[in-house]
Amino acid sequence: MSLNTSIDSQYAKVAVGSATLGIFLLLLHQLYRRLLLPKPIPNIPYNVAASQKLLGDLPELKDEMDRTSDMRSWLLRQTIKLQSPLIQLFLDPFSKPILILSDPREALDILLYRSRDFDRAPMLYDIFSGLAPTHHIGMKTGPEWRRHRDLIQHLVTQPFLQDTAGPAIHASASRLVRLWRAKARVAQGAAFAAKRDFQYMIIDALIEICFGKDFPNNGVSSQIELLEAYHTLAPDVKPQTSITFPEANPHEFICAHKKITEAIEHCGQSVYPRQMWWAMSKLPRLANALRIKRRVTRERLITAAATIAQKMPLADSSGAWSSAEFMAHHENNLSQQECRQPEYISPPMEDELYGFLFAGSHTNFITLAWAIKTVADNPVSQSRLRDALRAGFPEAVLESRAPSPSEMSSRQIPYLNATVEEILRICPATLLVDRVAIRDTELLGYHVPKGTCIWTIPAGAGFTSPAHHISEEKRNASSRSNAKHSRRSEWSGDDIAQFIPERWLRPSAEKHGELVFDPSAGPILAFGAGPRGCFGRPLAYLQLRMAVALFVWNFELLKCPDSLSSYDAADGLFHKPKSCYVSLRELSS
Ligand code: HEM
């Protein structure tokens, strides 16, 4: 063989080898693109650069979370950047894109009228499955979900709200007023943190509602005791700073609840919430908190069953029943219908009872935190609210006292309702409301494959800024037909971003032009909506209205220094304010 022939054959081998390697790499690249890179849903706008990355939009979101912790504003900014009310983001590696919908009308249409197309998404189940695997919040809509929800159906009944919830909420808010009077005297106009006080106030009320009056609910009263022993007047407070008060440890159940809430918040921020919960629950801090929660919940169910057994032969339905008693009563009736022994201690009973307490505490506390900032920063609305309250409860003014629980739960004060509704419009604590497509369907004219998750955003376009333009023919049929006779589908006007409770009032023809509260004046999404909307909504309203009324009745809420007044938010499971301070001037009742 000549030298030339040998070189040729070596070149040929190299060429064949290179071609094979090239093909292999090409196949690998194709495999990478097809199997691992995000797969956009055709035509729905997305960040092109993110679609070329294994982790999609996740790194950018992580950077944003590290910098600001504000996920909701980032989501809204993506819809503005991509100039569309419906976009897709790649936030769940190796899974389908998530759709972000920033349009109140289409969001309400999905939640209210499209149960055949959309249901509860798996996200909430993933977050809560460690804590309360049989709570109905994570279930698909169906008989099992309904059976669980029936356990807490008393939540929306008038006797429960009036006899059980109203007095408990009033008592805990009044204790907070007492604590704040003591703090205000020490602070002498300086600001102090309110977050913990709200948390204790809300959990105190919910404990009384869930477990009954005899259970120690001393979140606020333990702070009062400590403060009353704290005689030193505040040292010179520098401008732009706040006073820090010492803090007492309340009952072990309240401390356990606080730890559990922090752990769930942590899971809410994780891409893998189940695994995160599992890991945390192995640590002594959470494991111990869960033990206390389990023990107390079981004890209270056993006590409730015994109380019910005493009350039932006498058909004694009078007096305030705790939520645990209502649940035990329901289980007893159900067991009779189904010819079986009642099961007072069971995973559903425990999960629904604690789930009620959990669902109601964090949400209400964050909403109140936003409320107090907003009311303090809008002094004109605040004094209108105070005037409306004084006009609405003249007996209380005459007797130099705050309105009683029964006066407050039986009387409507339109300006109070409007103020609370406006707070929920401007600063909803809800981060997002999610659903999953349960069959191939359409949204705003785009094909949406079965299994796609949709996050509707309860803030931004159409709520506090002008809505995205959407042509009518792109909307769903139910959205088009319902728009004619349903609540106003979006807010408009130059003042859309401002806090104006009056937008929720309208003159009533039946009441000779008197202003009445109009809950249909425009959209809000703070409680979600439809069959899977917030089941505790009436209780939440009662708590928010009573608390805001009692604070404004007893104090002038002053604007805090700028450094303590930011509206920056930190997102976990909910959208919560980073700074929550109050500066108070005491008023006589
Ligand atoms: C200001 C306070 C509250 C806010 C902002 C709030 C918000 C929400 C939101 C956004 C949802 C999901 C709705 C949806 O997917 O359409 C929800 C569900 C739920 N909330 Fe609330 N909530 C509050 C207070 C409460 C209270 C006090 C309770 C009970 C004591 C409660 C119990 C529930 C339950 C049981 C669900 C699940 C409903 C279901 O999946 O069928 N919430 N809440």
Side-chain angles (χ1 to χ4, degrees):
M1 192 164 53
S2 72
L3 184 64
N4 278 351
T5 327
S6 151
I7 291 173
D8 280 354
S9 88
Q10 279 176 22
Y11 273 150
K13 275 187 193 157
V14 171
V16 171
S18 312
T20 314
L21 184 67
I23 292 168
F24 177 69
L25 288 176
L26 195 72
L27 283 175
L28 212 62
H29 183 67
Q30 285 300 323
L31 208 66
Y32 168 73
R33 288 187 70 86
R34 274 167 181 263
L35 292 184
L36 301 179
L37 281 186
K39 284 171 230 27
I41 300 171
N43 305 323
I44 301 180
Y46 59 91
N47 290 317
V48 177
S51 72
Q52 309 298 320
K53 294 180 196 154
L54 209 60
L55 298 180
D57 291 285
L58 211 51
E60 194 185 322
L61 174 60
K62 188 184 172 303
D63 283 353
E64 180 73 13
M65 290 303 279
D66 290 346
R67 243 173 7 91
T68 67
S69 317
D70 185 348
M71 175 168 166
R72 195 165 75 192
S73 302
W74 182 81
L75 291 174
L76 287 170
R77 272 208 307 284
Q78 305 311 303
T79 64
I80 294 166
K81 190 168 97 185
L82 295 167
Q83 298 181 358
S84 172
L86 184 69
I87 62 166
Q88 54 184 320
L89 294 175
F90 312 112
L91 297 175
D92 196 358
F94 320 123
S95 305
K96 285 194 169 69
I98 292 170
L99 301 188
I100 312 297
L101 176 63
S102 172
D103 178 67
R105 183 168 147 196
E106 221 54 29
L108 283 166
D109 186 58
I110 288 182
L111 302 178
L112 290 167
Y113 307 112
R114 299 189 63 185
S115 316
R116 286 182 180 184
D117 295 331
F118 300 99
D119 198 0
R120 165 76 73 239
M123 187 173 78
L124 281 180
Y125 180 72
D126 286 347
I127 294 173
F128 287 110
S129 60
L131 175 64
T134 63
H135 190 274
H136 72 276
I137 198 163
M139 289 180 185
K140 297 274 166 227
T141 312
E144 185 66 6
W145 161 77
R146 198 157 292 115
R147 191 180 163 88
H148 279 239
R149 210 186 58 178
D150 283 352
L151 274 172
I152 55 161
Q153 65 193 354
H154 57 274
L155 250 184
V156 289
T157 62
Q158 204 48 34
F160 172 78
L161 292 170
Q162 205 158 309
D163 302 336
T164 305
I169 293 168
H170 192 279
S172 76
S174 302
R175 284 196 294 274
L176 183 57
V177 166
R178 188 172 144 206
L179 175 67
W180 276 7
R181 282 193 186 278
K183 285 190 173 180
R185 271 170 226 148
V186 175
Q188 298 175 355
F192 57 87
K195 179 181 148 190
R196 198 72 87 211
D197 295 347
F198 282 144
Q199 281 174 325
Y200 287 145
M201 182 200 98
I202 302 241
I203 192 67
D204 280 356
L206 286 171
I207 284 177
E208 186 174 327
I209 294 170
C210 283
F211 296 162
K213 269 182 186 254
D214 60 323
F215 190 84
N217 57 343
N218 66 348
V220 174
S221 49
S222 59
Q223 313 308 315
I224 295 177
E225 278 164 29
L226 183 73
L227 208 76
E228 287 177 348
Y230 180 69
H231 295 299
T232 3
L233 274 187
D236 269 357
V237 183
K238 297 186 188 74
Q240 309 292 311
T241 59
S242 63
I243 291 193
T244 306
F245 286 99
E247 212 183 293
N249 269 338
H251 187 271
E252 59 167 358
F253 180 79
I254 298 181
C255 297
H257 177 72
K258 208 169 97 196
K259 287 176 198 154
I260 293 171
T261 308
E262 283 163 9
I264 285 284
E265 270 284 318
H266 219 66
C267 291
Q269 289 168 341
S270 167
V271 186
Y272 300 106
R274 284 187 199 216
Q275 291 79 349
M276 173 70 87
W277 178 269
W278 181 86
M280 280 191 300
S281 65
K282 301 288 165 238
L283 301 175
R285 181 182 164 82
L286 183 57
N288 193 34
L290 288 170
R291 255 193 304 277
I292 295 170
K293 174 225 123 189
R294 203 171 305 124
R295 172 170 49 76
V296 169
T297 316
R298 287 181 182 184
E299 280 168 10
R300 296 318 292 181
L301 282 167
I302 291 170
T303 312
T307 316
I308 289 300
Q310 280 173 359
K311 283 183 180 174
M312 270 196 324
L314 305 169
D316 178 4
S317 61
S318 63
W321 283 29
S322 70
S323 218
E325 287 166 356
F326 273 108
M327 286 175 63
H329 184 245
H330 179 82
E331 167 59 13
N332 192 70
N333 286 350
L334 203 64
S335 66
Q336 282 174 10
Q337 281 166 27
E338 294 172 353
C339 302
R340 59 170 174 82
Q341 286 298 312
E343 271 192 273
Y344 297 115
I345 306 293
S346 66
M349 292 286 279
E350 289 173 44
D351 285 353
E352 292 298 337
L353 183 61
Y354 184 70
F356 170 163
L357 219 146
F358 187 90
S361 60
H362 211 45
T363 46
N364 260 348
F365 134 65
I366 297 169
T367 308
L368 263 187
W370 287 116
I372 214 75
K373 293 166 77 69
T374 317
V375 172
D377 291 346
N378 290 276
V380 175
S381 305
Q382 184 185 154
S383 59
R384 276 190 199 151
L385 173 58
R386 192 170 297 109
D387 292 346
L389 290 168
R390 301 225 186 265
F393 300 109
E395 319 84 323
V397 175
L398 272 175
E399 293 163 20
S400 299
R401 60 167 174 86
S404 68
S406 60
E407 284 166 342
M408 288 180 108
S409 41
S410 60
R411 214 166 292 172
Q412 292 295 321
I413 309 292
Y415 203 85
L416 173 63
N417 296 1
T419 303
V420 168
E421 208 71 1
E422 185 66 347
I423 290 161
L424 291 162
R425 181 186 78 89
I426 290 267
C427 313
T430 303
L431 177 63
L432 51 91
V433 180
D434 67 340
R435 291 292 183 270
V436 64
I438 48 176
R439 59 181 185 183
D440 283 1
T441 184
E442 281 202 1
L443 188 53
L444 293 178
Y446 298 109
H447 174 72
V448 174
K450 180 178 173 181
T452 308
C453 288
I454 290 112
W455 292 356
T456 64
I457 312 289
F463 293 105
T464 50
S465 58
H468 292 271
H469 172 72
I470 299 173
S471 60
E472 203 57 16
E473 69 271 14
K474 281 194 144 193
R475 292 194 178 274
N476 192 51
S478 50
S479 168
R480 287 200 300 265
S481 68
N482 287 319
K484 292 174 200 138
H485 38 260
S486 70
R487 62 164 36 203
R488 247 172 57 189
S489 54
E490 64 200 35
W491 295 101
S492 56
D494 295 342
D495 58 9
I496 188 170
Q498 288 166 28
F499 178 78
I500 305 178
E502 286 77 2
R503 68 175 84 243
W504 294 98
L505 300 175
R506 66 167 170 78
S508 154
E510 305 89 69
K511 294 191 172 180
H512 312 292
E514 192 185 310
L515 288 178
V516 292
F517 171 57
D518 176 13
S520 311
I524 60 162
L525 215 53
F527 293 103
R532 299 308 297 265
C534 176
F535 197 61
R537 192 174 177 151
L539 181 65
Y541 273 126
L542 188 65
Q543 190 147 34
L544 294 171
R545 288 172 188 166
M546 267 193 183
V548 169
L550 285 175
F551 299 154
V552 169
W553 185 280
N554 285 286
F555 303 102
E556 186 181 347
L557 304 165
L558 306 170
K559 198 172 165 7
C560 290
D562 287 349
S563 57
L564 305 175
S565 290
S566 117
Y567 279 70
D568 289 348
D571 289 335
L573 202 49
F574 291 93
H575 190 70
K576 49 182 186 305
K578 281 183 182 164
S579 43
C580 174
Y581 294 87
V582 284
S583 165
L584 304 172
R585 181 176 299 137
E586 275 191 84
L587 302 172
S588 50
S589 274

